[in-house]
Amino acid sequence: MSTNEECQLKLTSAFLPLLNVSQTFEESEGMVCQKFEMTTVRLENMKSTLVSVAELVDCLRSKELLYQKALNRRCQNLQIAEAEVDLLGDQVDKLLTLLEKIYVTLHYHAPELQQYLEVSNILELITFWS
């Protein structure tokens, strides 16, 4: 072997690990770029999904507010209706008490009022509804 060939062989053997390292870096760079692109695509997909979810959450929050207002309004209406029913019940009780007093009074005076047919009819109605 000549000195020229020996020098070339030494240079080749000296640079061969550097070439291997360079090739390994190029392959790694390609894999990193590919993974970076895949990650970027995944992030963009997640971003669009997140935007859709955020819009859905906003929609649900506004519906919740609307339903909450409707529920509050119905609760208030129910409370008003309960108060009205209580008042009407009190009025019915008072009217029943008055009707009982009328009945007792008419029944007490029934022998004297027998000549009046209307009084007998009223007594029968009061008895029927009591």
Side-chain angles (χ1 to χ4, degrees):
M1 254 196 195
S2 72
T3 52
N4 194 15
E5 288 178 359
E6 282 179 22
C7 268
Q8 220 174 15
L9 185 60
K10 284 183 184 178
L11 280 174
T12 304
S13 62
F15 283 113
L16 187 60
L18 289 175
L19 288 174
N20 287 340
V21 168
S22 175
Q23 184 179 3
T24 304
F25 275 131
E26 286 178 11
E27 290 172 1
S28 296
E29 181 183 12
M31 289 190 325
V32 167
C33 285
Q34 184 180 9
K35 286 186 179 183
F36 182 75
E37 287 175 11
M38 289 173 42
T39 304
T40 302
V41 168
R42 285 182 58 211
L43 284 174
E44 288 174 359
N45 288 340
M46 288 179 6
K47 180 182 176 183
S48 66
T49 303
L50 184 61
V51 167
S52 299
V53 169
E55 289 173 356
L56 180 62
V57 167
D58 286 342
C59 179
L60 290 175
R61 282 185 180 155
S62 59
K63 280 185 180 181
E64 177 189 17
L65 181 62
L66 180 69
Y67 290 142
Q68 188 66 39
K69 285 180 181 179
L71 177 65
N72 290 340
R73 192 174 338 115
R74 287 185 180 128
C75 287
Q76 289 173 350
N77 290 344
L78 183 60
Q79 289 173 347
I80 291 169
E82 287 175 345
E84 289 176 0
V85 166
D86 286 344
L87 289 174
L88 290 173
D90 293 345
Q91 288 178 354
V92 166
D93 289 341
K94 288 177 184 176
L95 289 173
L96 282 174
T97 303
L98 178 63
L99 191 59
E100 286 176 22
K101 289 179 182 179
I102 292 171
Y103 178 76
V104 168
T105 304
L106 287 176
H107 189 55
Y108 178 75
H109 296 290
E112 300 155 4
L113 299 171
Q114 280 183 346
Q115 60 188 356
Y116 301 105
L117 184 60
E118 295 85 16
V119 173
S120 298
N121 289 341
I122 291 173
L123 283 173
E124 287 175 16
L125 283 174
I126 293 173
T127 305
F128 175 76
W129 289 105
S130 296

